[in-house]
Amino acid sequence: MTRSVGARALVLSLVILGVFLAAWHVAVSGGGAGGQAVDPEYAKLVGAAAATGGQTPMPGPVDVGKAIWKHLSDPFYVRGTNDMGIGIQLAYSLARVLIGFGIAVAVAVPLGFLIGMSPIVYRALDPFIQVMKPISPLAWMPLALYTIKDSSLSSIFVIFICSLWPMLINTAFGVASVRKDWLNVARTLEVGPVRKAFTVILPAAAPTILTGMRISVGIAWLVIVAAEMLVGGTGIGYFVWNQWNNLSLTDIITAILLIGLVGMALDQILARLTRLVTYPE
Amino acid sequence: MAASYISIEGIARRFPAPEGGKTTIFEDLWFAMERGEFVCVIGHSGCGKTTVLNILAGLDEPSEGAVIIDGKAIEGPSLDRAVIFQSHGLLPWRTVLGNVAYAVSSKWRDWPKAKVEDHARKAIATVGLSGAEMKKPAQLSGGMKQRVGIARALSIEPKIMLMDEPFSALDALTRGTLQDEVRGICRTTGQTVFMITHDVDEAIYLADKIVLMTNGPDARVAEIVVNPLPADRSRNEVHKHPAYYPVRNHIIDFLVARSKSFATELAQPGKVWNRRAPPLVTPGAAGGPAPLVRAV
């Protein structure tokens, strides 16, 4: 084989996907045939759905493929509060994540700088951070709903609070572990504190800070789905829950796939940004 | 005493010891340097050489005493004193030009960008790195990185250069070339240089005076060797000079034995040693066998 590793890996990926889809198809069609084995008289009496135990059959890959096609061919329609295109729902979720994440960046990076530069502030804030960090962001939701009194703003707050900690900790760590030599260079050149922060500490800590951002945006994207299921209204999380109430499994699977793809895209964007600011030593 | 250009007056440095109390690295340390002198300090690890350099640079403060430079006690770092770090201390996200320009723009804050870069390019050319301006430090060899460090130090036209084992991480060939270059640059610009080294030959080749420090803790300046070699020295001639081996043997004797046992040496009857004015010795001078110690 003279093909590159990448090409061979791609072939393997496609084989795995094909095997998975085929297994799914076989499993679903086998189950469906078994479920239909009911006395037709009885079925006529109680209705087809009740006769099969009230179960909607698990959709096969073909059904899901059709649903995806349907959604992607018209992603931005609005036909009422409970009937909006999947693109609109994703846009709502993305907007909440980006706003919450953006506010978290604006808070975490300067605060992380302060914590990283001052051992006293670091020690003083450390217990708070250690307690706040492991709290599930959704636990804040009732408190947020009570104080903010707006479900959309509450989800943004939840995104903010869950994005905050990884960035705060990484920024503080990155700033605190800037090489002493580089700080000494700035000192011997009589560089002022502001110029030092922007020309030495920020570039030195940038890869660590961006790694924190990447972790944060990943968590935010995980959390937004759950938050929107909880508060409802709009967003991809709400869409999933709504389709569960409609028992529309094809739509749910479509949404799951799209959530994965968007999450991957967010991660890749930050990975690329991290690579931009990483310096070889 | 007549005011020297740099006068280290009774400095001490103590660190909190792990078991409580304080460890004294050195105390009541005195010595002086004249303008344009190239002084090397030799001593074993832990004798506080780097601490003295950091105090001179203003990066560290003495627990006691003071350092007077040109009539003024130093307070913190200054652009008049450039430091060449052992680990070169280049900012890896900046190019060679960016690193040097950073220093230049720190010294002359109102200069336009073009003037800063022009000045930086000249400093880079002085150390023979023209053509590598746009490279990042990671793309350079160890010797080239140290050259950039030297260019950065030179670019701010300091009054004093402080070098902490600048060549110790380099291979012997590169080290030799860089020593030649540094010596040439310092001679033409009349730099005052304070350099730490572990390399006896390097000290003899470069220095006008070699400060010998005893082992720490409680290190002292035992004596100052006045280099008898002519100021005009060349690498191939230096080891043929009649005073070369007396000086070299004297320093190696010191490093091997006397740096450890200096306290007993002082306790000998008739030994005169004033810590405020460490004796100047010139091994191999005045013909005949050199006295081991010649107090002045």
Side-chain angles (χ1 to χ4, degrees), chain A residues 248-270:
Chain A
S248 174
L249 293 180
T250 50
D251 289 334
I252 294 175
I253 295 171
T254 307
I256 288 173
L257 263 175
L258 286 175
I259 291 170
L261 288 173
V262 172
M264 187 179 81
L266 287 174
D267 188 64
Q268 285 304 308
I269 291 168
L270 277 155

Side-chain angles (χ1 to χ4, degrees), chain B residues 127 142-144 146-147 150 166-167 170 173-183 206 235:
Chain B
V127 297
M144 287 165 94
Q146 203 50 275
R147 282 203 169 114
I150 294 165
F167 311 129
L170 306 177
L173 278 174
T174 317
R175 192 186 307 165
T177 330
L178 273 181
Q179 285 166 355
D180 291 345
E181 285 174 14
V182 164
R183 188 170 158 75
L206 292 176
R235 180 167 292 282

Side-chain angles (χ1 to χ4, degrees), chain A residues 1 11 13 36 52 68 85 93 95 97 99 105 133 135 165 178 181 189 194 205 208 249 260 273:
Chain A
M1 285 282 271
V11 169
S13 292
Q36 290 303 318
T52 55
I68 292 174
S93 301
V97 163
I99 294 169
V105 170
K133 190 179 60 167
I135 297 171
W165 311 116
V178 173
D181 268 359
L189 294 175
V194 176
T208 325
L249 293 180
L273 287 177

